[in-house]
Each structure stands twice: as C-alpha cells, then as structure tokens.
PDB file of all heavy atoms in Angstrom:
ATOM      1  N   GLY A   1      -6.555 -12.121  22.420  1.00 92.00           N
ATOM      2  CA  GLY A   1      -5.258 -12.535  21.878  1.00 92.00           C
ATOM      3  C   GLY A   1      -5.371 -13.384  20.637  1.00 92.00           C
ATOM      4  O   GLY A   1      -4.537 -13.293  19.731  1.00 92.00           O
ATOM      5  N   VAL A   2      -6.392 -14.219  20.561  1.00 92.00           N
ATOM      6  CA  VAL A   2      -6.567 -15.096  19.395  1.00 92.00           C
ATOM      7  C   VAL A   2      -6.795 -14.264  18.135  1.00 92.00           C
ATOM      8  O   VAL A   2      -6.168 -14.484  17.106  1.00 92.00           O
ATOM      9  CB  VAL A   2      -7.749 -16.071  19.625  1.00 92.00           C
ATOM     10  CG1 VAL A   2      -8.056 -16.858  18.365  1.00 92.00           C
ATOM     11  CG2 VAL A   2      -7.463 -17.003  20.782  1.00 92.00           C
ATOM     12  N   VAL A   3      -7.683 -13.306  18.239  1.00 94.00           N
ATOM     13  CA  VAL A   3      -8.004 -12.469  17.084  1.00 94.00           C
ATOM     14  C   VAL A   3      -6.878 -11.469  16.821  1.00 94.00           C
ATOM     15  O   VAL A   3      -6.503 -11.229  15.674  1.00 94.00           O
ATOM     16  CB  VAL A   3      -9.355 -11.748  17.302  1.00 94.00           C
ATOM     17  CG1 VAL A   3      -9.664 -10.809  16.157  1.00 94.00           C
ATOM     18  CG2 VAL A   3     -10.470 -12.771  17.477  1.00 94.00           C
ATOM     19  N   GLU A   4      -6.304 -10.910  17.856  1.00 94.00           N
ATOM     20  CA  GLU A   4      -5.268  -9.889  17.686  1.00 94.00           C
ATOM     21  C   GLU A   4      -4.006 -10.441  17.041  1.00 94.00           C
ATOM     22  O   GLU A   4      -3.354  -9.745  16.268  1.00 94.00           O
ATOM     23  CB  GLU A   4      -4.956  -9.234  19.027  1.00 94.00           C
ATOM     24  CG  GLU A   4      -6.085  -8.332  19.498  1.00 94.00           C
ATOM     25  CD  GLU A   4      -5.918  -7.836  20.915  1.00 94.00           C
ATOM     26  OE1 GLU A   4      -4.944  -8.229  21.598  1.00 94.00           O
ATOM     27  OE2 GLU A   4      -6.769  -7.047  21.352  1.00 94.00           O
ATOM     28  N   ASP A   5      -3.654 -11.689  17.319  1.00 92.00           N
ATOM     29  CA  ASP A   5      -2.477 -12.282  16.673  1.00 92.00           C
ATOM     30  C   ASP A   5      -2.668 -12.317  15.150  1.00 92.00           C
ATOM     31  O   ASP A   5      -1.771 -11.950  14.395  1.00 92.00           O
ATOM     32  CB  ASP A   5      -2.216 -13.693  17.199  1.00 92.00           C
ATOM     33  CG  ASP A   5      -1.670 -13.718  18.615  1.00 92.00           C
ATOM     34  OD1 ASP A   5      -1.214 -12.660  19.101  1.00 92.00           O
ATOM     35  OD2 ASP A   5      -1.702 -14.801  19.235  1.00 92.00           O
ATOM     36  N   ALA A   6      -3.853 -12.758  14.731  1.00 93.00           N
ATOM     37  CA  ALA A   6      -4.144 -12.795  13.297  1.00 93.00           C
ATOM     38  C   ALA A   6      -4.150 -11.381  12.708  1.00 93.00           C
ATOM     39  O   ALA A   6      -3.615 -11.152  11.619  1.00 93.00           O
ATOM     40  CB  ALA A   6      -5.477 -13.486  13.037  1.00 93.00           C
ATOM     41  N   LEU A   7      -4.726 -10.426  13.425  1.00 93.00           N
ATOM     42  CA  LEU A   7      -4.757  -9.042  12.934  1.00 93.00           C
ATOM     43  C   LEU A   7      -3.354  -8.471  12.798  1.00 93.00           C
ATOM     44  O   LEU A   7      -3.058  -7.766  11.831  1.00 93.00           O
ATOM     45  CB  LEU A   7      -5.601  -8.168  13.856  1.00 93.00           C
ATOM     46  CG  LEU A   7      -7.104  -8.417  13.806  1.00 93.00           C
ATOM     47  CD1 LEU A   7      -7.812  -7.593  14.874  1.00 93.00           C
ATOM     48  CD2 LEU A   7      -7.663  -8.124  12.429  1.00 93.00           C
ATOM     49  N   ARG A   8      -2.471  -8.767  13.752  1.00 93.00           N
ATOM     50  CA  ARG A   8      -1.085  -8.287  13.660  1.00 93.00           C
ATOM     51  C   ARG A   8      -0.405  -8.836  12.405  1.00 93.00           C
ATOM     52  O   ARG A   8       0.307  -8.118  11.703  1.00 93.00           O
ATOM     53  CB  ARG A   8      -0.290  -8.677  14.906  1.00 93.00           C
ATOM     54  CG  ARG A   8      -0.403  -7.676  16.036  1.00 93.00           C
ATOM     55  CD  ARG A   8       0.634  -7.956  17.132  1.00 93.00           C
ATOM     56  NE  ARG A   8       0.297  -9.130  17.915  1.00 93.00           N
ATOM     57  CZ  ARG A   8      -0.603  -9.155  18.889  1.00 93.00           C
ATOM     58  NH1 ARG A   8      -1.262  -8.068  19.199  1.00 93.00           N
ATOM     59  NH2 ARG A   8      -0.840 -10.257  19.556  1.00 93.00           N
ATOM     60  N   ARG A   9      -0.635 -10.105  12.122  1.00 93.00           N
ATOM     61  CA  ARG A   9      -0.026 -10.691  10.919  1.00 93.00           C
ATOM     62  C   ARG A   9      -0.605 -10.062   9.651  1.00 93.00           C
ATOM     63  O   ARG A   9       0.126  -9.813   8.691  1.00 93.00           O
ATOM     64  CB  ARG A   9      -0.207 -12.206  10.923  1.00 93.00           C
ATOM     65  CG  ARG A   9       0.643 -12.901  11.981  1.00 93.00           C
ATOM     66  CD  ARG A   9       0.610 -14.405  11.860  1.00 93.00           C
ATOM     67  NE  ARG A   9      -0.695 -14.990  12.080  1.00 93.00           N
ATOM     68  CZ  ARG A   9      -1.144 -15.433  13.251  1.00 93.00           C
ATOM     69  NH1 ARG A   9      -0.382 -15.344  14.327  1.00 93.00           N
ATOM     70  NH2 ARG A   9      -2.349 -15.978  13.340  1.00 93.00           N
ATOM     71  N   LEU A  10      -1.898  -9.793   9.648  1.00 93.00           N
ATOM     72  CA  LEU A  10      -2.513  -9.152   8.485  1.00 93.00           C
ATOM     73  C   LEU A  10      -1.986  -7.731   8.276  1.00 93.00           C
ATOM     74  O   LEU A  10      -1.717  -7.316   7.146  1.00 93.00           O
ATOM     75  CB  LEU A  10      -4.030  -9.122   8.629  1.00 93.00           C
ATOM     76  CG  LEU A  10      -4.716 -10.476   8.490  1.00 93.00           C
ATOM     77  CD1 LEU A  10      -6.187 -10.362   8.874  1.00 93.00           C
ATOM     78  CD2 LEU A  10      -4.577 -11.006   7.085  1.00 93.00           C
ATOM     79  N   ILE A  11      -1.817  -7.000   9.353  1.00 93.00           N
ATOM     80  CA  ILE A  11      -1.277  -5.639   9.262  1.00 93.00           C
ATOM     81  C   ILE A  11       0.154  -5.685   8.733  1.00 93.00           C
ATOM     82  O   ILE A  11       0.532  -4.894   7.860  1.00 93.00           O
ATOM     83  CB  ILE A  11      -1.363  -4.923  10.619  1.00 93.00           C
ATOM     84  CG1 ILE A  11      -2.833  -4.619  10.952  1.00 93.00           C
ATOM     85  CG2 ILE A  11      -0.524  -3.646  10.630  1.00 93.00           C
ATOM     86  CD1 ILE A  11      -3.072  -4.200  12.390  1.00 93.00           C
ATOM     87  N   ALA A  12       0.957  -6.620   9.233  1.00 93.00           N
ATOM     88  CA  ALA A  12       2.342  -6.751   8.765  1.00 93.00           C
ATOM     89  C   ALA A  12       2.371  -7.100   7.278  1.00 93.00           C
ATOM     90  O   ALA A  12       3.181  -6.557   6.513  1.00 93.00           O
ATOM     91  CB  ALA A  12       3.072  -7.814   9.577  1.00 93.00           C
ATOM     92  N   PHE A  13       1.483  -7.981   6.847  1.00 92.00           N
ATOM     93  CA  PHE A  13       1.388  -8.344   5.433  1.00 92.00           C
ATOM     94  C   PHE A  13       1.042  -7.119   4.590  1.00 92.00           C
ATOM     95  O   PHE A  13       1.675  -6.851   3.565  1.00 92.00           O
ATOM     96  CB  PHE A  13       0.325  -9.431   5.253  1.00 92.00           C
ATOM     97  CG  PHE A  13       0.130  -9.850   3.830  1.00 92.00           C
ATOM     98  CD1 PHE A  13       0.919 -10.840   3.270  1.00 92.00           C
ATOM     99  CD2 PHE A  13      -0.853  -9.267   3.039  1.00 92.00           C
ATOM    100  CE1 PHE A  13       0.742 -11.233   1.957  1.00 92.00           C
ATOM    101  CE2 PHE A  13      -1.033  -9.654   1.724  1.00 92.00           C
ATOM    102  CZ  PHE A  13      -0.233 -10.638   1.178  1.00 92.00           C
ATOM    103  N   LYS A  14       0.056  -6.371   5.036  1.00 89.00           N
ATOM    104  CA  LYS A  14      -0.376  -5.183   4.295  1.00 89.00           C
ATOM    105  C   LYS A  14       0.747  -4.146   4.219  1.00 89.00           C
ATOM    106  O   LYS A  14       0.984  -3.553   3.171  1.00 89.00           O
ATOM    107  CB  LYS A  14      -1.612  -4.584   4.954  1.00 89.00           C
ATOM    108  CG  LYS A  14      -2.179  -3.402   4.219  1.00 89.00           C
ATOM    109  CD  LYS A  14      -3.435  -2.887   4.879  1.00 89.00           C
ATOM    110  CE  LYS A  14      -3.934  -1.653   4.179  1.00 89.00           C
ATOM    111  NZ  LYS A  14      -5.129  -1.107   4.788  1.00 89.00           N
ATOM    112  N   GLU A  15       1.443  -3.934   5.327  1.00 87.00           N
ATOM    113  CA  GLU A  15       2.534  -2.950   5.329  1.00 87.00           C
ATOM    114  C   GLU A  15       3.657  -3.372   4.396  1.00 87.00           C
ATOM    115  O   GLU A  15       4.286  -2.547   3.754  1.00 87.00           O
ATOM    116  CB  GLU A  15       3.060  -2.752   6.747  1.00 87.00           C
ATOM    117  CG  GLU A  15       2.109  -1.977   7.626  1.00 87.00           C
ATOM    118  CD  GLU A  15       2.536  -1.930   9.090  1.00 87.00           C
ATOM    119  OE1 GLU A  15       3.462  -2.681   9.496  1.00 87.00           O
ATOM    120  OE2 GLU A  15       1.924  -1.148   9.840  1.00 87.00           O
ATOM    121  N   ARG A  16       3.906  -4.678   4.309  1.00 88.00           N
ATOM    122  CA  ARG A  16       5.006  -5.152   3.469  1.00 88.00           C
ATOM    123  C   ARG A  16       4.646  -5.161   1.988  1.00 88.00           C
ATOM    124  O   ARG A  16       5.471  -4.855   1.137  1.00 88.00           O
ATOM    125  CB  ARG A  16       5.423  -6.551   3.900  1.00 88.00           C
ATOM    126  CG  ARG A  16       6.561  -7.095   3.085  1.00 88.00           C
ATOM    127  CD  ARG A  16       7.148  -8.337   3.643  1.00 88.00           C
ATOM    128  NE  ARG A  16       8.229  -8.785   2.788  1.00 88.00           N
ATOM    129  CZ  ARG A  16       8.722  -9.981   2.792  1.00 88.00           C
ATOM    130  NH1 ARG A  16       8.270 -10.866   3.653  1.00 88.00           N
ATOM    131  NH2 ARG A  16       9.686 -10.315   1.976  1.00 88.00           N
ATOM    132  N   PHE A  17       3.404  -5.524   1.653  1.00 87.00           N
ATOM    133  CA  PHE A  17       3.063  -5.753   0.258  1.00 87.00           C
ATOM    134  C   PHE A  17       2.064  -4.766  -0.341  1.00 87.00           C
ATOM    135  O   PHE A  17       1.703  -4.904  -1.504  1.00 87.00           O
ATOM    136  CB  PHE A  17       2.511  -7.171   0.092  1.00 87.00           C
ATOM    137  CG  PHE A  17       3.541  -8.219   0.387  1.00 87.00           C
ATOM    138  CD1 PHE A  17       3.460  -8.968   1.551  1.00 87.00           C
ATOM    139  CD2 PHE A  17       4.593  -8.454  -0.480  1.00 87.00           C
ATOM    140  CE1 PHE A  17       4.410  -9.933   1.839  1.00 87.00           C
ATOM    141  CE2 PHE A  17       5.550  -9.416  -0.203  1.00 87.00           C
ATOM    142  CZ  PHE A  17       5.450 -10.154   0.957  1.00 87.00           C
ATOM    143  N   ALA A  18       1.618  -3.790   0.422  1.00 84.00           N
ATOM    144  CA  ALA A  18       0.649  -2.824  -0.107  1.00 84.00           C
ATOM    145  C   ALA A  18       1.270  -2.032  -1.251  1.00 84.00           C
ATOM    146  O   ALA A  18       2.477  -1.788  -1.277  1.00 84.00           O
ATOM    147  CB  ALA A  18       0.192  -1.876   0.998  1.00 84.00           C
ATOM    148  N   ALA A  19       0.441  -1.644  -2.179  1.00 78.00           N
ATOM    149  CA  ALA A  19       0.898  -0.829  -3.297  1.00 78.00           C
ATOM    150  C   ALA A  19       1.409   0.505  -2.767  1.00 78.00           C
ATOM    151  O   ALA A  19       0.897   1.017  -1.767  1.00 78.00           O
ATOM    152  CB  ALA A  19      -0.242  -0.598  -4.281  1.00 78.00           C
ATOM    153  N   PRO A  20       2.428   1.060  -3.415  1.00 76.00           N
ATOM    154  CA  PRO A  20       2.914   2.359  -2.967  1.00 76.00           C
ATOM    155  C   PRO A  20       1.842   3.421  -3.117  1.00 76.00           C
ATOM    156  O   PRO A  20       0.927   3.279  -3.930  1.00 76.00           O
ATOM    157  CB  PRO A  20       4.101   2.646  -3.902  1.00 76.00           C
ATOM    158  CG  PRO A  20       3.897   1.752  -5.074  1.00 76.00           C
ATOM    159  CD  PRO A  20       3.094   0.578  -4.604  1.00 76.00           C
ATOM    160  N   LYS A  21       1.979   4.461  -2.347  1.00 75.00           N
ATOM    161  CA  LYS A  21       1.016   5.553  -2.435  1.00 75.00           C
ATOM    162  C   LYS A  21       1.108   6.201  -3.811  1.00 75.00           C
ATOM    163  O   LYS A  21       2.163   6.290  -4.406  1.00 75.00           O
ATOM    164  CB  LYS A  21       1.290   6.586  -1.346  1.00 75.00           C
ATOM    165  CG  LYS A  21       1.016   6.032   0.028  1.00 75.00           C
ATOM    166  CD  LYS A  21       1.169   7.065   1.089  1.00 75.00           C
ATOM    167  CE  LYS A  21       0.835   6.390   2.407  1.00 75.00           C
ATOM    168  NZ  LYS A  21       0.918   7.221   3.525  1.00 75.00           N
ATOM    169  N   VAL A  22      -0.015   6.634  -4.305  1.00 73.00           N
ATOM    170  CA  VAL A  22      -0.066   7.273  -5.617  1.00 73.00           C
ATOM    171  C   VAL A  22       0.562   8.656  -5.517  1.00 73.00           C
ATOM    172  O   VAL A  22       0.258   9.428  -4.612  1.00 73.00           O
ATOM    173  CB  VAL A  22      -1.532   7.384  -6.101  1.00 73.00           C
ATOM    174  CG1 VAL A  22      -1.613   8.133  -7.415  1.00 73.00           C
ATOM    175  CG2 VAL A  22      -2.128   5.998  -6.221  1.00 73.00           C
ATOM    176  N   VAL A  23       1.461   8.934  -6.451  1.00 67.00           N
ATOM    177  CA  VAL A  23       2.125  10.231  -6.502  1.00 67.00           C
ATOM    178  C   VAL A  23       1.342  11.137  -7.445  1.00 67.00           C
ATOM    179  O   VAL A  23       0.954  10.720  -8.539  1.00 67.00           O
ATOM    180  CB  VAL A  23       3.579  10.069  -7.001  1.00 67.00           C
ATOM    181  CG1 VAL A  23       4.268  11.416  -7.118  1.00 67.00           C
ATOM    182  CG2 VAL A  23       4.341   9.131  -6.087  1.00 67.00           C
ATOM    183  N   ALA A  24       1.118  12.355  -7.025  1.00 74.00           N
ATOM    184  CA  ALA A  24       0.371  13.309  -7.846  1.00 74.00           C
ATOM    185  C   ALA A  24       1.118  13.584  -9.150  1.00 74.00           C
ATOM    186  O   ALA A  24       2.350  13.645  -9.171  1.00 74.00           O
ATOM    187  CB  ALA A  24       0.168  14.602  -7.078  1.00 74.00           C
ATOM    188  N   LEU A  25       0.380  13.731 -10.226  1.00 74.00           N
ATOM    189  CA  LEU A  25       0.981  14.039 -11.523  1.00 74.00           C
ATOM    190  C   LEU A  25       1.516  15.461 -11.530  1.00 74.00           C
ATOM    191  O   LEU A  25       0.923  16.357 -10.941  1.00 74.00           O
ATOM    192  CB  LEU A  25      -0.053  13.867 -12.634  1.00 74.00           C
ATOM    193  CG  LEU A  25      -0.608  12.460 -12.830  1.00 74.00           C
ATOM    194  CD1 LEU A  25      -1.683  12.469 -13.914  1.00 74.00           C
ATOM    195  CD2 LEU A  25       0.501  11.497 -13.198  1.00 74.00           C
ATOM    196  N   THR A  26       2.643  15.641 -12.224  1.00 77.00           N
ATOM    197  CA  THR A  26       3.234  16.978 -12.311  1.00 77.00           C
ATOM    198  C   THR A  26       2.874  17.677 -13.620  1.00 77.00           C
ATOM    199  O   THR A  26       3.204  18.830 -13.808  1.00 77.00           O
ATOM    200  CB  THR A  26       4.770  16.899 -12.190  1.00 77.00           C
ATOM    201  OG1 THR A  26       5.260  16.025 -13.221  1.00 77.00           O
ATOM    202  CG2 THR A  26       5.181  16.383 -10.823  1.00 77.00           C
ATOM    203  N   GLU A  27       2.225  16.943 -14.523  1.00 73.00           N
ATOM    204  CA  GLU A  27       1.789  17.534 -15.780  1.00 73.00           C
ATOM    205  C   GLU A  27       0.519  16.825 -16.236  1.00 73.00           C
ATOM    206  O   GLU A  27       0.290  15.677 -15.878  1.00 73.00           O
ATOM    207  CB  GLU A  27       2.889  17.432 -16.842  1.00 73.00           C
ATOM    208  CG  GLU A  27       3.263  16.008 -17.209  1.00 73.00           C
ATOM    209  CD  GLU A  27       4.365  15.929 -18.253  1.00 73.00           C
ATOM    210  OE1 GLU A  27       4.188  16.493 -19.351  1.00 73.00           O
ATOM    211  OE2 GLU A  27       5.383  15.302 -17.965  1.00 73.00           O
ATOM    212  N   PRO A  28      -0.320  17.520 -17.021  1.00 76.00           N
ATOM    213  CA  PRO A  28      -1.552  16.877 -17.484  1.00 76.00           C
ATOM    214  C   PRO A  28      -1.245  15.780 -18.506  1.00 76.00           C
ATOM    215  O   PRO A  28      -0.295  15.874 -19.273  1.00 76.00           O
ATOM    216  CB  PRO A  28      -2.340  18.025 -18.108  1.00 76.00           C
ATOM    217  CG  PRO A  28      -1.331  19.074 -18.419  1.00 76.00           C
ATOM    218  CD  PRO A  28      -0.201  18.889 -17.457  1.00 76.00           C
ATOM    219  N   GLY A  29      -2.030  14.770 -18.522  1.00 72.00           N
ATOM    220  CA  GLY A  29      -1.842  13.690 -19.487  1.00 72.00           C
ATOM    221  C   GLY A  29      -2.567  12.468 -19.009  1.00 72.00           C
ATOM    222  O   GLY A  29      -3.258  12.520 -18.002  1.00 72.00           O
ATOM    223  N   PRO A  30      -2.438  11.357 -19.623  1.00 76.00           N
ATOM    224  CA  PRO A  30      -1.656  11.138 -20.844  1.00 76.00           C
ATOM    225  C   PRO A  30      -2.377  11.667 -22.075  1.00 76.00           C
ATOM    226  O   PRO A  30      -3.587  11.840 -22.014  1.00 76.00           O
ATOM    227  CB  PRO A  30      -1.501   9.616 -20.887  1.00 76.00           C
ATOM    228  CG  PRO A  30      -2.619   9.062 -20.085  1.00 76.00           C
ATOM    229  CD  PRO A  30      -3.027  10.123 -19.119  1.00 76.00           C
ATOM    230  N   PRO A  31      -1.707  11.874 -23.169  1.00 79.00           N
ATOM    231  CA  PRO A  31      -0.264  11.709 -23.311  1.00 79.00           C
ATOM    232  C   PRO A  31       0.485  12.845 -22.606  1.00 79.00           C
ATOM    233  O   PRO A  31      -0.007  13.969 -22.544  1.00 79.00           O
ATOM    234  CB  PRO A  31      -0.033  11.761 -24.815  1.00 79.00           C
ATOM    235  CG  PRO A  31      -1.163  12.595 -25.337  1.00 79.00           C
ATOM    236  CD  PRO A  31      -2.328  12.335 -24.419  1.00 79.00           C
ATOM    237  N   PHE A  32       1.629  12.517 -22.070  1.00 81.00           N
ATOM    238  CA  PHE A  32       2.437  13.495 -21.343  1.00 81.00           C
ATOM    239  C   PHE A  32       3.399  14.196 -22.300  1.00 81.00           C
ATOM    240  O   PHE A  32       4.031  13.557 -23.134  1.00 81.00           O
ATOM    241  CB  PHE A  32       3.231  12.811 -20.231  1.00 81.00           C
ATOM    242  CG  PHE A  32       2.341  12.181 -19.190  1.00 81.00           C
ATOM    243  CD1 PHE A  32       2.076  10.822 -19.211  1.00 81.00           C
ATOM    244  CD2 PHE A  32       1.756  12.963 -18.203  1.00 81.00           C
ATOM    245  CE1 PHE A  32       1.254  10.246 -18.260  1.00 81.00           C
ATOM    246  CE2 PHE A  32       0.930  12.392 -17.252  1.00 81.00           C
ATOM    247  CZ  PHE A  32       0.667  11.027 -17.280  1.00 81.00           C
ATOM    248  N   ALA A  33       3.504  15.503 -22.145  1.00 81.00           N
ATOM    249  CA  ALA A  33       4.395  16.290 -23.014  1.00 81.00           C
ATOM    250  C   ALA A  33       5.832  15.800 -22.885  1.00 81.00           C
ATOM    251  O   ALA A  33       6.555  15.696 -23.884  1.00 81.00           O
ATOM    252  CB  ALA A  33       4.291  17.774 -22.668  1.00 81.00           C
ATOM    253  N   SER A  34       6.257  15.462 -21.680  1.00 81.00           N
ATOM    254  CA  SER A  34       7.642  15.002 -21.488  1.00 81.00           C
ATOM    255  C   SER A  34       7.881  13.670 -22.198  1.00 81.00           C
ATOM    256  O   SER A  34       8.964  13.429 -22.739  1.00 81.00           O
ATOM    257  CB  SER A  34       7.959  14.874 -20.001  1.00 81.00           C
ATOM    258  OG  SER A  34       7.081  13.950 -19.378  1.00 81.00           O
TER     259      SER A  34
END
C-alpha cells in the first residue's frame, strides 16, 4: 500500500499532463505544401 499509493498518484499525474499522442503526418514535409 505504501508504494502503490505513490504509484497511483504518479499514474494520475502522467495521465493528466502527458504530451498528446503524435498524429501521423498527412503530407510530406516540412516544408508542407499546404
């Protein structure tokens, strides 16, 4: 329980503040034609 409480808080932090998933590019670049 001691370790798991800290892990739960770390997981919640990561879920809240993690960078968004990278979206695949729809065109070659940069520079982008659009």
